[in-house]
């Protein structure tokens, strides 16, 4: 029997529906939550992500703006835009789409966003708050992974969780969320990366395996144990002569083969991706609530 499908689209729809009451309540106090995205350069994937976030905001009745800067924009120019958005009371959430071109430092950019508007939860202060278990915002993709687990009935509590990848965006903050002494967390977490020896020995003992490497179909069936729960964060384009565009999107997991051994598994697309957007909207509503006197 193939494992259950963890339907990120459906779960993200539920999260978004739950926000509606809060958005209506804010409206009674004269606030429309507003999300501003800054896009530097022409990277097609970044452009698509910003467009999807804008569309999702619009569908929820949120205000949104996209600030586009040329690929050769200086770091100063970006920081000036961030300052302008920090000062704008209509803007409750600011996201700086990554990757950034090489002349712009990621640290400088994320540290310049007002922590109260940092809906991506990348500012060092907000990262620290997550680590000590008092989050101001939930880091969007890691929080999306946790929601997928909880809402599919696969609580990480007391489980061995192995995370493949240690980026500041996914692996590290996810480990920080899951290791908390708290309901919905309480996992024993291993974070593996490119310097990990005998990776498969770690993955094979995982109750829950989260793949966030950016390596197409890296996790094969022989790397997991029977009954594993798998969350696939990866987004990779691979050539596909049968597709109209000549390529298609796959995750970091060899989906069909791994699903045969799994208790449950999230697909790509339709797994973590929609959750990341839903959590970003949730953070924007939270930022608007924090900024609105009751
Ligand atoms: P990064 O490239 O920043 O990090 C990748 C991590 O995987 C690194 O820690 C790296 O190790 C590790 N890694 C890579 N190859 C191997 C290997 N062969 N063995 C062990 N570890 C390895 O990527 P991100 O974290 O930003 O993203 C990961 C994936 O998730 C990407 O496909 C990205 O597109 C996707 N993503 C999806 C999102 C969504 O909403 N669904 C949101 C964000 C990302 P080391 O540190 O040693 O280099």
């Amino acid at each position: 029997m193939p494992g259950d499908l963890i339907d990120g689209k459906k779960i993200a729809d539920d999260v978004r529906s739950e926000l509606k009451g809060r958005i209506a309540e804010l409206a009674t106090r004269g606030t429309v939550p507003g999300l501003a995205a800054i896009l530097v350069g022409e990277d097609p994937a970044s452009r698509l992500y910003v467009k999807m976030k804008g569309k999702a905001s619009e569908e929820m009745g949120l205000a949104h703006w996209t600030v586009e800067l040329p690929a050769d924009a200086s770091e100063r120019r970006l920081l000036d835009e961030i300052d302008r958005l920090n000062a704008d009371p209509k803007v409750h959430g600011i996201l700086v789409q990554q990757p950034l071109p090489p002349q712009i430092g990621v640290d400088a950019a994320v540290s310049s966003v007002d922590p109260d508007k940092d809906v991506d939860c990348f500012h060092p202060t907000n990262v620290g708050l997550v680590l000590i278990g008092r989050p101001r915002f939930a880091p969007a993709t890691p929080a999306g992974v946790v929601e997928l687990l909880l809402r599919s009935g696969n609580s990480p509590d007391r489980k061995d969780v192995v995370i493949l990848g240690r980026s500041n965006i996914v692996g590290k903050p996810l480990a920080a969320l899951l290791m908390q002494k708290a309901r919905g967390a309480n996992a024993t977490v291993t974070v593996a990366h490119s310097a990990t020896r005998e990776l498969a020995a770690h993955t094979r003992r995982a109750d829950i395996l989260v793949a966030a490497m950016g390596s197409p179909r890296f996790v094969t069936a022989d790397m997991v144990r029977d009954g594993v729960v798998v969350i696939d964060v990866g987004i990779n384009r691979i050539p596909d002569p049968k597709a109209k565009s000549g390529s298609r999107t796959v995750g970091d997991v060899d989906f069909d083969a791994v699903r045969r051994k799994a208790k449950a598994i999230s697909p790509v697309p339709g797994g973590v991706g929609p959750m990341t957007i839903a959590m970003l909207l949730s953070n924007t509503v939270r930022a608007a609530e924090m900024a609105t006197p009751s």
Side-chain angles (χ1 to χ4, degrees), residues 141 165-167 170 193-194 199 212-214 218 233-236 272-273 276:
T141 301
R166 59 174 162 188
S167 73
V170 188
H193 43 74
S194 66
L199 195 74
M213 311 162 79
F218 180 94
V233 183
I235 301 177
N236 310 288
V272 177
T276 296

Side-chain angles (χ1 to χ4, degrees), residues 153-288:
N154 294 295
S155 169
D157 201 308
R158 284 155 216 274
K159 296 287 165 36
D160 282 338
V161 179
V162 175
I163 302 169
L164 299 178
R166 59 174 162 188
S167 73
N168 290 341
I169 295 179
V170 188
K172 283 185 204 161
L174 178 59
L177 289 181
L178 290 172
M179 72 168 75
Q180 297 300 323
K181 189 168 183 171
R183 282 189 65 203
N186 230 7
T188 303
V189 183
T190 302
V191 181
H193 43 74
S194 66
T196 299
R197 287 183 295 125
E198 300 192 39
L199 195 74
H202 292 283
T203 58
R204 274 190 210 113
R205 58 168 184 68
D207 300 312
I208 296 173
L209 180 65
V210 182
M213 311 162 79
S215 192
R217 297 194 289 213
F218 180 94
V219 177
T220 48
D222 62 320
M223 291 173 69
V224 301
R225 63 184 236 192
D226 286 327
V228 68
V229 173
V230 180
I231 304 291
D232 191 350
V233 183
I235 301 177
N236 310 288
R237 294 295 292 179
I238 59 163
D240 179 359
K242 281 188 250 146
K244 215 158 68 177
S245 64
S247 65
R248 72 190 162 98
T249 301
V250 297
D252 287 354
V253 177
D254 184 3
F255 181 82
D256 290 329
V258 171
R259 186 178 184 186
R260 276 181 228 120
K261 287 178 85 175
K263 171 173 181 271
I265 183 167
S266 72
V268 177
V272 177
M275 291 304 293
T276 296
I277 296 181
M279 300 320 289
L280 184 71
L281 299 177
S282 170
N283 282 345
T284 304
V285 171
R286 179 163 165 70

